[in-house]
């Protein structure tokens, strides 16, 4: 059974940094994609970043470009979201998601329906 487990969430002041990790267990994912989504109270879930396992192509939401970096360690089946210069509007429950074989089209990378595997979420709170 495939499991995704996030870690690294917490509370930080504006301008601070956090590093989220996502570890996949239960199967080997050598293709497909890993992505991070977030959902703030009263808002829809939105794509934050995605990385394609083959080639390492990445895409980011406009709101996080230049501040967040997604990376992967395929040997360890782990993905990382480095978040810098955090803002109060980054406050949300952050989820990692993965596909095993295929990836969404580039123009639809932030569509959650493409991802069959999800973690339980980790809370990020940015507040002074």
């Amino acid at each position: 059974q495939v499991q995704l487990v996030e870690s690294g969430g917490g509370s930080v002041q504006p301008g601070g940094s956090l590093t989220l990790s996502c570890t996949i267990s239960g199967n080997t994912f050598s293709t497909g994609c890993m992505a991070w989504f977030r959902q703030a109270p009263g808002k829809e879930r939105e794509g934050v970043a995605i990385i394609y396992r083959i080639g390492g192509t990445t895409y980011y939401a406009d709101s996080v470009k230049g501040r967040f970096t997604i990376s992967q360690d395929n040997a360890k089946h782990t993905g990382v979201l480095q978040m810098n210069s955090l803002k109060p509007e980054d406050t949300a429950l952050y989820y990692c998601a993965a596909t095993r074989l295929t990836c969404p089209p580039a123009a639809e990378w932030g569509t959650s329906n493409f991802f069959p595997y999800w973690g339980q979420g980790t809370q990020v709170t940015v507040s002074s």
Side-chain angles (χ1 to χ4, degrees):
Q1 183 177 355
V2 174
Q3 282 190 315
L4 278 64
V5 179
E6 302 102 334
S7 60
S11 296
V12 65
Q13 293 186 339
S17 298
L18 284 173
T19 303
L20 304 184
S21 297
C22 177
T23 300
I24 300 175
S25 62
N27 210 322
T28 300
F29 284 32
S30 59
T31 56
C33 294
M34 176 181 282
W36 290 90
F37 289 78
R38 67 185 181 186
Q39 188 166 19
K43 295 188 177 181
E44 293 186 355
R45 187 173 298 186
E46 64 172 347
V48 176
I50 187 173
I51 186 165
Y52 291 65
R53 289 194 187 85
I54 305 300
T57 299
T58 58
Y59 295 102
Y60 295 90
D62 288 342
S63 58
V64 306
K65 282 181 182 176
R67 301 188 297 121
F68 291 12
T69 303
I70 188 171
S71 61
Q72 62 186 354
D73 183 336
N74 288 336
K76 297 181 179 179
H77 309 299
T78 299
V80 173
L81 184 69
Q82 177 64 44
M83 306 186 295
N84 299 325
S85 302
L86 283 161
K87 304 175 180 180
E89 51 264 42
D90 294 318
T91 295
L93 190 60
Y94 283 70
Y95 299 88
C96 70
T99 67
R100 183 178 298 179
L101 296 175
T102 59
C103 292
E108 300 178 70
W109 70 264
T111 303
S112 59
N113 289 344
F114 280 106
F115 295 84
Y117 305 105
W118 289 82
Q120 80 288 351
T122 185
Q123 179 67 37
V124 171
T125 302
V126 185
S127 174
S128 55

